Amino acid sequence: MATLPDLLNLRCFEAAARSLNFRAAARQVALTPAAFGVRIKALEQQLGVELFVRTTRKVALTREGLTLLPQARKVLVEAGECVRLVRGQSKGPPIELTIGTRFELGLAWLQPALARLAPDLPHLIVHLYFGSGPDLLARLRAGQLDCAVTSARLPDPSLDSEPLHEERYAFVGATSLLDRSPLLRRRDAVRHTLLDVDAELPLYRYLREAPSLRGPMQFAGLRYLGLGEAIRRAVLAEQGVAVLPESMVEVDLAAGRLIRLLKRIELLRDHFRLVFRSDDLRRERFAELAAALRREPLSG
C-alpha cells in the first residue's frame, strides 16, 4: 500500500500554491524557510513529481501541482471536519479563503464589508486578490483562488455561484463635454469616443444588448482602459463616454459632474456573485459568506 501524504506537507503545499512565495508560506504555517522547503521536497519525492518551478525571480505551479491543488484542499478541509465532529463544535477550525475581486469593487465595498463582518465570521480568515474578471475566473479554475466576487459570465459548469447584489449600469458622459456636443439620439454617438475595459466591450454590452436600443450605434472611436476607475476618470476628463456601474458614478451624477445619456433606454442589469468551483466541499462556507455579504449594502 502506498504511503499517504503527510497532512502538514499538504498544508505547506497549499500555502505555497496560494501565495507563490515560499518565505511567506512558511510564515503562514509557522515553519522556518528551511524546514518548509524540506516539507515540499518530501511531498515531491513521495509523489514522484515536481510541484513547483522555482527560480530566483518567481515560483509557479507545474501542471502536476495544478492537478494536485484542488484535491489537496479537499483533504485539508475533510481533516478539519474530523476535528469538528469529534469535538462536537458547531464550527470547525478557522478556514482560510483567498477571494479574488475586481479592483474598484474590492476597495470600495468588499474590503470594508469583510472588516465589518469579521466579528460575525471568526472561523473564516480571508485573504484578497485583486484582478480583472477573466483573470479571476482563470485563477479560480486553476485552484489559485478559493472563490471570487465578480459579475463576469460563467463560461462552464465547473463553476457555481451564490448571488450577492444586483448591479445597475448607466451610460454617462461629462456634463461639460455634453454641453458642447450633445448625445441625445443614437446618431449623435458618431461625435464621441466610447471607453471600455477591453476589445470585447464588456461594459458597453449592457447598452448594446438592451431591447429598447433598437439599432446599432456608431462611435467616432474606441479606447480600452482596462479598469473601471480609469474609465470613470477619463469620462470626467472629457475623453469619451462610457457605460459604468451606477455605484461607481452615483456621486458624480448627484454632483452634476456626469449626466446620463439616452435616458429612455433601460440598460441591462446584472448581479455580481460569489463564484466558486462546483466540486469544492466548502459550499456551506461559501453560502454562509455570501449570506453575510448580502447584508452589506453597496453604499451608505
Side-chain angles (χ1 to χ4, degrees), residues 158-299:
S158 69
L159 299 177
D160 205 346
S161 67
E162 287 277 344
L164 294 177
H165 286 287
E166 183 181 58
E167 198 161 38
R168 301 186 180 192
Y169 296 85
F171 184 35
V172 297
T175 303
S176 50
L177 172 66
L178 276 302
D179 284 343
R180 298 195 307 272
S181 183
L183 202 167
L184 303 176
R185 298 170 295 275
R186 291 197 313 272
R187 63 174 179 267
D188 295 335
V190 74
R191 298 196 294 265
H192 295 274
T193 297
L194 177 68
L195 308 177
D196 212 315
V197 173
D198 55 44
E200 293 186 2
L201 303 180
L203 290 171
Y204 176 59
R205 77 174 179 86
Y206 293 104
L207 172 61
R208 182 185 62 223
E209 298 177 10
S212 57
L213 181 59
R214 297 179 182 176
M217 296 176 63
Q218 298 293 327
F219 291 90
L222 302 172
R223 284 187 64 201
Y224 315 128
L225 299 180
L227 191 65
E229 178 59 22
I231 295 171
R232 171 185 163 273
R233 295 185 184 192
V235 172
L236 287 169
E238 304 183 13
Q239 296 173 14
V241 296
V243 175
L244 287 167
E246 282 189 355
S247 59
M248 184 180 294
V249 296
E250 59 185 354
V251 173
D252 298 313
L253 289 169
R257 292 185 291 268
L258 298 180
I259 60 173
R260 293 178 186 267
L261 306 173
L262 305 182
K263 297 179 182 180
R264 294 183 179 180
I265 297 175
E266 183 176 356
L267 276 63
L268 297 183
R269 300 179 183 182
D270 205 346
H271 279 80
F272 61 88
R273 304 171 291 274
L274 184 69
V275 183
F276 48 89
R277 292 179 295 279
S278 301
D279 60 356
D280 198 311
L281 296 178
R282 297 167 293 180
R283 177 180 292 271
E284 179 181 346
R285 296 288 183 262
F286 296 134
E288 177 186 22
L289 176 59
L293 289 172
R294 281 194 290 269
R295 297 193 295 268
E296 291 291 316
L298 285 178
S299 61

Side-chain angles (χ1 to χ4, degrees), residues 4-290:
L4 296 176
D6 181 272
L7 282 178
L8 181 53
N9 292 351
L10 285 177
R11 188 180 173 204
C12 291
F13 163 72
E14 194 280 334
R18 178 162 22 91
S19 65
L20 295 179
N21 183 309
F22 275 29
R23 188 171 295 274
R27 288 196 298 268
Q28 293 172 21
V29 297
L31 290 175
T32 65
F36 185 89
V38 169
R39 289 283 179 174
I40 296 296
K41 191 65 176 178
L43 182 60
E44 290 179 324
Q45 289 177 343
Q46 182 181 24
L47 297 176
V49 297
E50 288 190 353
L51 299 173
F52 296 95
V53 176
R54 289 164 289 224
T55 70
T56 56
R57 293 179 176 268
K58 66 178 183 177
V59 175
L61 284 163
T62 63
R63 182 180 62 182
E64 291 79 8
L66 288 170
T67 300
L68 175 62
L69 183 56
Q71 189 63 37
R73 284 178 166 157
K74 290 180 185 179
V75 170
L76 292 170
V77 170
E78 288 300 297
E81 289 297 300
C82 290
V83 176
R84 182 186 68 82
L85 288 172
V86 298
R87 291 180 178 175
Q89 298 171 332
S90 59
K91 300 291 183 184
I95 295 177
E96 294 195 37
L97 297 178
T98 299
I99 304 178
T101 179
R102 298 180 342 221
F103 290 93
E104 302 92 344
L105 188 63
L107 290 174
W109 177 75
L110 183 59
Q111 186 176 22
L114 289 170
R116 291 190 294 267
L117 290 170
D120 300 324
L121 302 170
H123 53 290
L124 291 181
I125 300 173
V126 177
H127 310 284
L128 290 181
Y129 170 84
F130 291 85
S132 65
D135 171 54
L136 297 178
L137 296 184
R139 287 177 175 271
L140 184 57
R141 285 193 296 268
Q144 296 171 342
L145 295 175
D146 298 299
C147 52
V149 174
T150 177
S151 57
R153 292 177 172 178
L154 302 186
D156 59 63
S158 69
L159 299 177
D160 205 346
S161 67
E162 287 277 344
L164 294 177
H165 286 287
E166 183 181 58
E167 198 161 38
R168 301 186 180 192
Y169 296 85
F171 184 35
V172 297
T175 303
S176 50
L177 172 66
L178 276 302
D179 284 343
R180 298 195 307 272
S181 183
L183 202 167
L184 303 176
R185 298 170 295 275
R186 291 197 313 272
R187 63 174 179 267
D188 295 335
V190 74
R191 298 196 294 265
H192 295 274
T193 297
L194 177 68
L195 308 177
D196 212 315
V197 173
D198 55 44
E200 293 186 2
L201 303 180
L203 290 171
Y204 176 59
R205 77 174 179 86
Y206 293 104
L207 172 61
R208 182 185 62 223
E209 298 177 10
S212 57
L213 181 59
R214 297 179 182 176
M217 296 176 63
Q218 298 293 327
F219 291 90
L222 302 172
R223 284 187 64 201
Y224 315 128
L225 299 180
L227 191 65
E229 178 59 22
I231 295 171
R232 171 185 163 273
R233 295 185 184 192
V235 172
L236 287 169
E238 304 183 13
Q239 296 173 14
V241 296
V243 175
L244 287 167
E246 282 189 355
S247 59
M248 184 180 294
V249 296
E250 59 185 354
V251 173
D252 298 313
L253 289 169
R257 292 185 291 268
L258 298 180
I259 60 173
R260 293 178 186 267
L261 306 173
L262 305 182
K263 297 179 182 180
R264 294 183 179 180
I265 297 175
E266 183 176 356
L267 276 63
L268 297 183
R269 300 179 183 182
D270 205 346
H271 279 80
F272 61 88
R273 304 171 291 274
L274 184 69
V275 183
F276 48 89
R277 292 179 295 279
S278 301
D279 60 356
D280 198 311
L281 296 178
R282 297 167 293 180
R283 177 180 292 271
E284 179 181 346
R285 296 288 183 262
F286 296 134
E288 177 186 22
L289 176 59

